[in-house]
Amino acid sequence: VSTIFKIGSKLDAGNYRPVTMLPIVSKVIERIAHQQLFGFLSELSGLNEVRSQSGFRKAHSTQTSLHRV
């Protein structure tokens, strides 16, 4: 984790934001694991059948929920 200065006094710790520097290999592995796990859960537990769940799903948003209401 590295810190990047935002604005204001450099003595105030609140004026810095943390930025993680992850290696590209870990990002690729994380993406592959996510795709496999989400695909597995979608088929077995029927995530596609849950109509009221819009959070953390691709192509779903608060607008999707509002349209249903």
Side-chain angles (χ1 to χ4, degrees), residues 29-42:
I29 292 172
E30 183 179 335
R31 179 166 296 213
I32 291 170
H34 174 267
Q35 290 172 347
Q36 290 180 352
L37 184 61
F38 191 77
F40 175 76
L41 292 174
S42 294

Side-chain angles (χ1 to χ4, degrees), residues 5-59:
F5 177 69
K6 294 190 292 186
I7 192 167
S9 172
K10 290 191 176 191
L11 299 176
D12 185 12
N15 292 334
Y16 291 88
R17 65 182 176 102
V19 175
T20 57
M21 307 291 228
L22 295 174
I24 189 72
V25 174
S26 66
K27 289 182 180 183
V28 171
I29 292 172
E30 183 179 335
R31 179 166 296 213
I32 291 170
H34 174 267
Q35 290 172 347
Q36 290 180 352
L37 184 61
F38 191 77
F40 175 76
L41 292 174
S42 294
E43 291 176 13
L44 284 183
S45 66
L47 283 178
N48 292 332
E49 296 175 10
V50 180
R51 302 283 183 220
S52 62
Q53 177 67 33
S54 290
F56 305 106
R57 293 181 64 198
K58 192 174 188 175

